[in-house]
Every structure is written in structure tokens, then in C-alpha cells.
């Protein structure tokens, strides 16, 4: 393995932090420790996997890989997506650079209409990339990919046909996996694509519910129909133990998929399906919360599948935010946390082993004898995604959610914010697009509607930020927003001249000026102080959340977002994996301090070069 100097630098810095870590239940400290281990593994993986190839499952010390242009492969997007999440979690530009480099070659998949898995490949890579960059070229890749996936929709059958490679055994197969792929259709429809793509996705989800979800909430893997006559042909499994069993990862695809479709559609049928499949899954889990690869796996074939547990944890964290019943919401959240706790320690975390993955003990395809008891890149992806969702939820609990009712959406800011003032906050949309407005008004104003506020910052229904300029909304620069992504917003208002300017900073990026000297809303009441902020969302409560809101007199520079964790220290000394199987320190604390001190000494004496800027 050849590691570049910068990679060794980052690895040792992470190692120094990890040496002092210990796990005592899953919390923010554990999340940080595990993400730092994931950063180590990602740096190693990026160094050993050639450009144009993508890790899929672990081998003895390395990875089985797949090429960027492999049309039937489905896993290429997960490593770029993992890198994007690691960038989001650390703010370290190294991961952004690596993520972009690993994402770009997958543009070849945008015209791939031979498989449903164009959805997996593009949403995990380009979908995550667009969240951070807003790059129009990336949006076009996703829209082209959605058009390619839409070609697989059979209007007679009402669903996306998964693949063609298993003919004549299957003629028009519907599989649970496709519930994940149809996000590309939903995303595309919401971001400038055809409205019919959304209809296709909803129809597909309902057909899956009808044919693959059993009455008790368990699931089949595949059902097949004649594409011409529509006649039923067969129903059973491909990767599960038997036609009557429930393949664990397939069940989590349903849990995650229906939750995701509800995010885009708010269709109550999708929420009900998500809960139905989730409740069955939770009621059949073993005590350690990590399932066997199939819930009916017999003796001698009972291998755990951490990839299913990781996807389930991520799905549960999102689903817990949608259910109205407090007890159910808490049950889902607690189950997710228990899963993350189990995955963050031995025997499931790959620390202290030779594996290049974050998790171990996953199962790819047991019936085919492939990828049994290995690390799986998609398990790592959903594990890291789940941790990011956990951290986001922890932050949002202390924030202000948006409200439909204006009277419930108002927060008082006092009566002394006069002259020139700076308001700053972190803003997290729960989905995209929405219609959400942050409005500022005088302390004496009674808030009755949008016209009560003189300064308004909006997330519009096209997926972009803008601000009110007198009689209408405008924006100096097109700044897109994405669901579950935190943006830092800064507004400087001159109460004397009745003008204001706004900047938005995407995670890990620089400030982008959205408005410059915009005029206060022309029909708003007189505004002499910055006394009230109103957080309105027209499509439902909690469509976005504001955290860390501050108001200061004068023009104040941007503060750091709470979502942007400080980067780990850099050093330049090779260091073996410092964690034992449980995630606790493998060497005494004094040894850890000595190693870190040595690293700092080497840096100061020229043994490595530091990057001066990112």
C-alpha cells in the first residue's frame, strides 16, 4: 500500500485523537470517535483502490472492486458518498477533494438504462455531491440519470422493472431493492425534471406494497410478471434463504425506501408502509440488534449482516421524525441508537483488524456463495449516514422548528437591536423543495402574515434561496438547498437606511452573497429595531429548523456553523490502527501522548509538509 504524504499526515492526526477514545454507549463522543476511525479507513481505501475503480467488499487486507463503467454493478456510488459524508462531518477539504475525484467518473452511468441501479449509483454519488456544490453540471447528470431510469418503467405493470440479466427466469421482475433506486425519479421530478417521474415512483411503491410486503409486514424479495400480458409468473427470493423467508437487507430496503418516498411525497400510505415493515423488523431482531442475513437462516448458515443493521438504523432515525405518536417516535429512535451502539464496538466495528472497511461481518449474497462474513462498502455508507443523522437530530433538538401558524412561529429578539445589526443562524431544511420563510420585524409588530416582516429570507419551491427586495423576491447568486443539510446564514441590516444584505454558507464552503443592500419589504410596518423573527413553513410544521440564532450590534463577520466540526490535527508518521476490537485505546494514555508529541516534533522539524490552506 502506498500512502501519499498528506494522507499519512491526516492518518496520524486521526490516530492521536482515537488513542484516547473509549465507548460508553452511543452518544456524540462515540459518534466522533467512530467517524474518526471511518476517516482513517477511507484514507487507506482511497490510497489502495485505483482511480476509476470502486470498493465493494473486503478481501484479505484489501477490497474487491468494480469499475466505474460497469453497467450491471450497483455499488460504485457508495464510496464517493461515504467521502461526501465524511467531508460533511469533519469540514476537512481533503475529503471533499477525494469525493469529487471519485464522483466524476461515474457520470458514465447517467445514460445507463439497463438496470434500476442507476438510482443507487447516482444518488449516493452525484446526489450527495450536489448537496454541497449546487453544481449545475451535477444536476444535469442526475436529471439525465432519472430519464434513463424512467425508461425502465412499464406503464402496463405500473413499476420499474429491475433488470434484464436473468432472462428467461424473470421477464419483468419487481424487487424490493428498487425502492431505494426510485429516489432518483423523485429527486429529478423535484429539481426540474418531468412531473410524471414522481407518479412513476409512487405507483412503483404501491405495487411493491401490494406484491412484496406480506400482511404481517415481512417481505418477499422478488415477484415477476409477463411484461406483455401482465400475467403473474412467480414470487419468492433471490438473495434470501427461501421463498417464504425474509431477507434481512431486503426488509431494510423497504423500511428505508418507504420512509424516503414519504419524505418527498408526504403520502400517508408511504408512512404506513414504512411503519408496517419497520415494526415487523424490530419485533424479530435478536438482542444485539444486528440481524442474521435472513431471519430464517438455519443452523450452520447463521451469519450476521451489519449492512442490514446500518441501513435500518439510518431509516429509523429519519422515520422517527415523521411519526406523530410520541411513544412510537421514541421507540424508533431508541432502536436506532441501540443499533449504532452495537455497530460502534466489537465484534462489528472493524477496528483492530486487517480489514479496510469500517464495519465487518456483512453478507452480500449468501445463496450465491458471494461476500459472506466480509466488510461491505454499502454497510459503511449507511452506517456513516446514520451517524450523521444522529448528530443532526441531536443539534436540531435544541433549535427552533418552523411552523405553519404565524403566531406559533414568532421568537422575540428584544427591543435594543437598533442601528446596524447582524443576525446569524444555522438553517437545516428537513426536505427539499419546501416553501419556508425567515422573516424579521420590529418588536412592536403583531405578526399576522408574510407582510408583517420587513426582511425575509426564503427557501423557494424550486429548491433555491432568495430574499425579499422591496416588492418581490430576488437573488444575486443561485444558491440551492438540500434536505438534511445545514447552511450558515448571515444577515446585516441597517435599520436607518432600511436596507439589508444576506450571505449563505454551504457546509464546508465559503460564504455566498445572496442579497446586497436589498430594500425592506415595501408593504411592511415601520421597522426601527430587529425585535422579532418568524419561522414560517407553508407546507407543514418542522419543514426546517433554525439553531444557534444570534443578533449582535454592528457588522459582524461570519461565525462557524455548529455542523462544521474542527478538523483533526495533522501529523506525518505512519501508525497502525490504534483501536482494539472494542474501540477503546490499545495503548496506555502516556504512550498516546508520546506518539502525538513525536508527531508534532516531526512536523516542526520538517519531516512532513503541512498544507497551508484548504
Amino acid at each position: 500500500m502506498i500512502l501519499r504524504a498528506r494522507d499519512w499526515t491526516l492518518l496520524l492526526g486521526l490516530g492521536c485523537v482515537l488513542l484516547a477514545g473509549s465507548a460508553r454507549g452511543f452518544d456524540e463522543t462515540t459518534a466522533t470517535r467512530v467517524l474518526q476511525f471511518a476517516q482513517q479507513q477511507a484514507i487507506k481505501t482511497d490510497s489502495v483502490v485505483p482511480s476509476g475503480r470502486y470498493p465493494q467488499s473486503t478481501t484479505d487486507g484489501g477490497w474487491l472492486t468494480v469499475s466505474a463503467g460497469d453497467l450491471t454493478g450497483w455499488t460504485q456510488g457508495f464510496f464517493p458518498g461515504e467521502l461526501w459524508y465524511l467531508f460533511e462531518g469533519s469540514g476537512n477539504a481533503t475529503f471533499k477533494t477525494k469525493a469529487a475525484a471519485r464522483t466524476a467518473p461515474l457520470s458514465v452511468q447517467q445514460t445507463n438504462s439497463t438496470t434500476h441501479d442507476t438510482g443507487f449509483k447516482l444518488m449516493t454519488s452525484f446526489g450527495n455531491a450536489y448537496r454541497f456544490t449546487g453544481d449545475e453540471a451535477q444536476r444535469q447528470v442526475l436529471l439525465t440519470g432519472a430519464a434513463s431510469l424512467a425508461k425502465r418503467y412499464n406503464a402496463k405493470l405500473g413499476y420499474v422493472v429491475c433488470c434484464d440479466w436473468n432472462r428467461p427466469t424473470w421477464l419483468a421482475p419487481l424487487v424490493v431493492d428498487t425502492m431505494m433506486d426510485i429516489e432518483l425519479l423523485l429527486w429529478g421530478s423535484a429539481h426540474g425534471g418531468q412531473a410524471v417521474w414522481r407518479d412513476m415512483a409512487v405507483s412503483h411503491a404501491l405495487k411493491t406494497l401490494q406484491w412484496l410486503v406480506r400482511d404481517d409486514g415481512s417481505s418477499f424479495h422478488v415477484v415477476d410478471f409477463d411484461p406483455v400480458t401482465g400475467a403473474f409468473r412467480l414470487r419468492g427470493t433471490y438473495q434470501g434463504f427461501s421463498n417464504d423467508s425474509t431477507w434481512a437487507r431486503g426488509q431494510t430496503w423497504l423500511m428505508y425506501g418507504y420512509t424516503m418516498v414519504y419524505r418527498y411525497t408526504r403520502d400517508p400510505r408511504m408512512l404506513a408502509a414504512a411503519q408496517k415493515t419497520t415494526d415487523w423488523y424490530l419485533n424479530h431482531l435478536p438482542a444485539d440488534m444486528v440481524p442474521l442475513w435472513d431471519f430464517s437462516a438455519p443452523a450452520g448458515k447463521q451469519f450476521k449482516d451489519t449492512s442490514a443493521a446500518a441501513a435500518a438504523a439510518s431509516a429509523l432515525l429519519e422515520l422517527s421524525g415523521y411519526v406523530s405518536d410520541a411513544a412510537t417516535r421514541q421507540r424508533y429512535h431508541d432502536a436506532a441508537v441501540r443499533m449504532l451502539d452495537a455497530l460502534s464496538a466489537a465484534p462489528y466495528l472493524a477496528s483492530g483488524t486487517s480489514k479496510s472497511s469500517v464495519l465487518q461481518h456483512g453478507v452480500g449474497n449468501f445463496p450465491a456463495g458471494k461476500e459472506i462474513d466480509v466488510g461491505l462498502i454499502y454497510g459503511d455508507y449507511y452506517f456513516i449516514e446514520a451517524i450523521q443523522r444522529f448528530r443532526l437530530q441531536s443539534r436540531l433538538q435544541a433549535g427552533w422548528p418552523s411552523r405553519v401558524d404565524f403566531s406559533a412561529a414568532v421568537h422575540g429578539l428584544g427591543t435594543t437591536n437598533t442601528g446596524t445589526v447582524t443576525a446569524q443562524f444555522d438553517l437545516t431544511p428537513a426536505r427539499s423543495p419546501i416553501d419556508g420563510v425567515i422573516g424579521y420585524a420590529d418588536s412592536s409588530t403583531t405578526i399576522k402574515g408574510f407582510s408583517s416582516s420587513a426582511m425575509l429570507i426564503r427557501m423557494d419551491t424550486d429548491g433555491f434561496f432568495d430574499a425579499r427586495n422591496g416588492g418581490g423576491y430576488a437573488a444575486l447568486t443561485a444558491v440551492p438547498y438540500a434536505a438534511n443539510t445545514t447552511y450558515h446564514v448571515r444577515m446585516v441590516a441597517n435599520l436607518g437606511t432600511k436596507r439589508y444584505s444576506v450571505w449563505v454558507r454551504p457546509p464546508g464552503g465559503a460564504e455566498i452573497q445572496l442579497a446586497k443592500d436589498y430594500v425592506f419589504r415595501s408593504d411592511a410596518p415601520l421597522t426601527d429595531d430587529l425585535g422579532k423573527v418568524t419561522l414560517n413553513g407553508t407546507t407543514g410544521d418542522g419543514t426546517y429548523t433554525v439553531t444557534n440564532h444570534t443578533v449582535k450590534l454592528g457588522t459582524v463577520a461570519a461565525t462557524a456553523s455548529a455542523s462544521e466540526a474542527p478538523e483533526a490535527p495533522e501529523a506525518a508518521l505512519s501508525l497502525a490502527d490504534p483501536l482494539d476490537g472494542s474501540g477503546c485505546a490499545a495503548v496506555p494514555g502516556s504512550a498516546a501522548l508520546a506518539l502525538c508529541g513525536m508527531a508534532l516534533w516531526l512536523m516542526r522539524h520538517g519531516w512532513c509538509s503541512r498544507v497551508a490552506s484548504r
Side-chain angles (χ1 to χ4, degrees), residues 34-375:
V34 174
L35 286 176
Q36 288 167 345
F37 173 63
Q39 291 173 36
Q40 279 191 325
Q41 299 298 80
I43 292 292
K44 293 176 184 177
T45 295
D46 186 66
S47 298
V48 300
V49 175
S51 177
R53 298 199 67 84
Y54 295 82
Q56 177 166 299
S57 58
T58 57
T59 58
D60 292 334
W63 287 96
L64 173 71
T65 64
V66 61
S67 70
D70 188 318
L71 295 181
T72 58
W74 67 282
T75 59
Q76 294 98 312
F78 290 111
F79 185 54
E82 176 184 329
L83 291 168
W84 285 114
Y85 273 128
L86 291 175
F87 165 62
E88 179 180 45
S90 68
N92 191 323
T94 296
F95 293 107
K96 183 178 183 180
T97 300
K98 293 181 182 298
R102 291 286 181 175
T103 297
L106 295 182
S107 63
V108 68
Q109 295 286 346
Q110 65 184 300
T111 56
N112 181 5
S113 60
T114 66
T115 174
H116 60 158
D117 286 325
T118 300
F120 261 130
K121 287 182 275 194
L122 293 184
M123 283 307 301
T124 52
S125 56
F126 281 92
N128 277 308
Y130 186 76
R131 286 200 301 130
F132 298 110
T133 68
D135 189 314
E136 176 60 18
Q138 292 170 342
R139 187 177 76 94
Q140 290 301 324
V141 167
L142 290 164
L143 291 177
T144 301
S148 298
L149 179 58
K151 293 178 181 178
R152 298 204 61 80
Y153 182 79
N154 184 308
K156 183 178 184 65
L157 300 176
Y159 61 80
V160 174
V161 177
C162 89
C163 47
D164 305 320
W165 50 262
N166 204 26
R167 288 175 176 267
T169 303
W170 299 340
L171 296 182
L174 168 66
V175 299
V176 293
D177 317 50
T178 315
M179 281 300 301
M180 304 292 283
D181 293 304
I182 60 174
E183 182 174 8
L184 183 58
L185 295 175
L186 292 164
W187 188 97
S189 180
H191 289 82
Q194 297 181 31
V196 71
W197 294 345
R198 183 183 188 275
D199 298 335
M200 291 176 180
V202 170
S203 176
H204 178 97
L206 293 174
K207 288 294 182 180
T208 301
L209 181 62
Q210 177 184 355
W211 287 100
L212 293 178
V213 179
R214 301 184 181 108
D215 290 342
D216 65 356
S218 64
S219 59
F220 298 98
H221 184 184
V222 58
V223 64
D224 191 46
F225 295 86
D226 187 297
V228 177
T229 67
F232 170 83
R233 297 186 67 247
L234 59 87
R235 181 164 57 181
T237 194
Y238 181 71
Q239 288 173 259
F241 171 65
S242 72
N243 289 339
D244 297 322
S245 69
T246 296
W247 173 46
R249 192 166 64 250
Q251 188 75 10
T252 67
W253 289 157
L254 293 169
M255 295 161 56
Y256 192 114
Y258 281 110
T259 301
M260 173 271 296
V261 177
Y262 181 74
R263 182 202 316 152
Y264 282 92
T265 66
R266 287 310 195 262
D267 186 328
R269 295 173 296 180
M270 305 304 156
L271 182 59
Q275 291 193 247
K276 182 177 182 177
T277 52
T278 293
D279 290 342
W280 188 93
Y281 180 88
L282 293 179
N283 290 336
H284 290 79
L285 279 181
D288 71 351
M289 306 300 284
V290 179
L292 300 176
W293 65 277
D294 189 289
F295 283 94
S296 300
K301 298 181 179 180
Q302 294 190 344
F303 293 91
K304 294 280 193 173
D305 184 14
T306 52
S307 72
S314 188
L316 279 162
L317 286 169
E318 181 173 9
L319 180 59
S320 68
Y322 297 147
V323 295
S324 57
D325 179 71
T328 303
R329 181 168 61 247
Q330 192 64 49
R331 179 186 180 223
Y332 290 164
H333 182 270
D334 290 350
V337 171
R338 290 176 61 197
M339 292 171 194
L340 292 177
D341 193 32
L343 295 175
S344 297
Y348 301 120
L349 196 69
S351 59
T353 76
S354 62
K355 286 188 172 62
S356 301
S357 56
V358 180
L359 294 175
Q360 57 183 345
H361 302 309
V363 175
N365 188 340
F366 190 94
K370 296 179 180 179
E371 301 173 335
I372 299 171
D373 198 24
V374 296

Side-chain angles (χ1 to χ4, degrees), residues 264-604:
Y264 282 92
T265 66
R266 287 310 195 262
D267 186 328
R269 295 173 296 180
M270 305 304 156
L271 182 59
Q275 291 193 247
K276 182 177 182 177
T277 52
T278 293
D279 290 342
W280 188 93
Y281 180 88
L282 293 179
N283 290 336
H284 290 79
L285 279 181
D288 71 351
M289 306 300 284
V290 179
L292 300 176
W293 65 277
D294 189 289
F295 283 94
S296 300
K301 298 181 179 180
Q302 294 190 344
F303 293 91
K304 294 280 193 173
D305 184 14
T306 52
S307 72
S314 188
L316 279 162
L317 286 169
E318 181 173 9
L319 180 59
S320 68
Y322 297 147
V323 295
S324 57
D325 179 71
T328 303
R329 181 168 61 247
Q330 192 64 49
R331 179 186 180 223
Y332 290 164
H333 182 270
D334 290 350
V337 171
R338 290 176 61 197
M339 292 171 194
L340 292 177
D341 193 32
L343 295 175
S344 297
Y348 301 120
L349 196 69
S351 59
T353 76
S354 62
K355 286 188 172 62
S356 301
S357 56
V358 180
L359 294 175
Q360 57 183 345
H361 302 309
V363 175
N365 188 340
F366 190 94
K370 296 179 180 179
E371 301 173 335
I372 299 171
D373 198 24
V374 296
L376 297 165
I377 192 63
Y378 42 94
D380 291 355
Y381 173 88
Y382 288 111
F383 184 39
I384 293 168
E385 179 183 75
I387 293 173
Q388 284 296 98
R389 287 180 170 181
F390 170 85
R391 298 176 79 196
L392 176 63
Q393 285 187 357
S394 297
R395 290 197 304 271
L396 296 186
Q397 285 176 357
W400 295 338
S402 64
R403 300 296 185 193
V404 173
D405 178 52
F406 278 95
S407 62
V410 180
H411 299 269
L413 303 176
T415 60
T416 61
N417 301 315
T418 59
T420 298
V421 296
T422 301
Q424 299 195 60
F425 54 89
D426 292 332
L427 173 64
T428 307
R431 59 183 187 268
S432 174
I434 60 174
D435 182 17
V437 178
I438 299 95
Y440 289 92
D442 190 274
S443 58
S444 64
T445 298
T446 300
I447 305 298
K448 298 180 179 180
F450 294 117
S451 62
S452 300
S453 295
M455 296 146 277
L456 301 106
I457 303 165
R458 184 177 69 168
M459 290 164 284
D460 72 16
T461 55
D462 292 324
F464 290 87
F465 288 100
D466 56 16
R468 186 82 178 195
N469 189 11
Y473 284 93
L476 291 179
T477 308
V479 182
Y481 63 88
N484 300 316
T485 303
T486 300
Y487 302 85
H488 187 74
V489 179
R490 180 167 66 104
M491 182 188 77
V492 177
N494 188 318
L495 281 304
T497 63
K498 312 302 182 188
R499 291 180 178 271
Y500 69 111
S501 300
V502 180
W503 294 261
V504 176
R505 186 176 68 221
E511 274 194 328
I512 302 170
Q513 187 157 22
L514 183 73
K516 183 177 181 180
D517 292 330
Y518 277 13
V519 179
F520 285 10
R521 181 171 179 137
S522 53
D523 57 347
L526 181 66
T527 305
D528 291 324
D529 64 33
L530 203 68
K532 291 180 179 179
V533 59
T534 304
L535 311 179
N536 179 262
T538 63
T539 57
D541 290 343
T543 54
Y544 65 90
T545 301
V546 165
T547 54
N548 306 306
H549 189 283
T550 63
V551 179
K552 295 184 178 180
L553 298 180
T555 301
V556 180
T559 57
S561 169
S563 66
E564 295 171 348
E567 296 183 20
E570 293 192 0
L573 179 67
S574 127
L575 183 68
D577 183 354
L579 296 178
D580 66 12
S582 67
C584 297
V587 295
S590 58
L593 291 174
L595 284 170
C596 293
M598 182 183 296
L600 293 171
W601 185 90
L602 288 170
M603 286 191 293
R604 290 178 182 137

